[in-house]
Amino acid sequence: QYFQYFRSCLIGPILGVTTGALQAYVEQTRKRTGKVTGEGITSQIPVQVKLSESAAELRAAELIAKHIKDTLVDFGQRSILVLPGANRVALNRDLAYMARLCVQSVQRLTGMMGASGLDEANPVQRHFGDLRAMAAHGGLQWERYMAPYGQWVFGEQSGDPEIDRAMGEPAIEDFFLAPRP
């Protein structure tokens, strides 16, 4: 009954580790210079763009997390322990996607660091390892939580009685929005 609420306990640590990785990346990159030209790494457009992409992914993950939290709080305040199918399928999708955004965000940064980004002593790499471990949690498995949303939209059975009962609700134009309670 509490599974939707239980899985939300991963949100804070995932966002915190992702934020820590971005902060560590910025701190390290400010001190780095190019091996060939000697110019500061921070003046390179690709470095600026990739940092911006990663920061935008973190921000999108934060917004998704806020929506998940607000939805669960609303249901919890109304003592609804088993989320309706339309909400369940959307929140499952959103939580898995939030985790994926965070992994992509940090993975991009470790790739920008060259060999130093692979060093276990590097704080960005340590954050990335922690993040990958959290994102591998069974409650965030990509296919497990993305497929039911597609099944729901297409009217296919998902195997989850609450989701299957909700097929056709809300209307087709609302399928791509997260249903509100």
Side-chain angles (χ1 to χ4, degrees):
Q1 287 183 346
Y2 297 101
F3 191 61
Q4 296 293 328
Y5 297 93
F6 171 74
R7 287 176 49 236
S8 70
C9 73
L10 298 166
I11 292 173
I14 287 172
L15 293 175
V17 166
T18 304
T19 300
L22 265 73
Q23 290 170 342
Y25 173 82
V26 168
E27 186 177 305
Q28 287 181 35
T29 303
R30 282 185 175 143
K31 300 173 188 171
R32 292 181 64 205
T33 57
K35 299 280 187 223
V36 176
T37 64
E39 74 175 337
I41 298 293
T42 60
S43 65
Q44 296 176 3
I45 299 293
V47 172
Q48 297 164 356
V49 168
K50 296 217 182 272
L51 172 64
S52 295
E53 286 179 87
S54 290
E57 283 174 330
L58 173 57
R59 181 64 178 137
E62 290 169 341
L63 292 170
I64 291 169
K66 182 180 182 334
H67 173 74
I68 293 168
K69 178 194 69 83
D70 291 348
T71 301
L72 290 175
V73 164
D74 187 49
F75 278 114
Q77 288 175 337
R78 293 186 287 143
S79 299
I80 298 173
L81 301 180
V82 178
L83 272 61
N87 297 95
R88 179 186 302 212
V89 75
L91 290 179
N92 287 345
R93 174 204 62 201
D94 292 350
L95 185 57
Y97 191 66
M98 182 216 72
R100 176 158 284 192
L101 283 171
C102 289
V103 170
Q104 289 173 176
S105 174
V106 178
Q107 185 173 21
R108 177 182 302 104
L109 299 179
T110 59
M112 292 289 294
M113 299 182 84
S116 70
L118 301 173
D119 186 346
E120 289 181 11
N122 185 321
V124 179
Q125 184 57 245
R126 284 196 317 271
H127 286 303
F128 188 44
D130 292 344
L131 180 58
R132 285 189 319 219
M134 286 184 277
H137 186 279
L140 297 171
Q141 290 177 347
W142 186 252
E143 286 82 8
R144 181 177 180 186
Y145 293 106
M146 288 298 179
Y149 183 82
Q151 292 162 340
W152 179 68
V153 170
F154 290 125
E156 301 286 330
Q157 296 291 310
S158 72
D160 182 319
E162 286 298 316
I163 293 171
D164 294 343
R165 263 195 296 279
M167 276 191 250
E169 297 292 331
I172 188 75
E173 61 270 10
D174 297 326
F175 277 157
F176 306 106
L177 303 174
R180 290 297 298 168

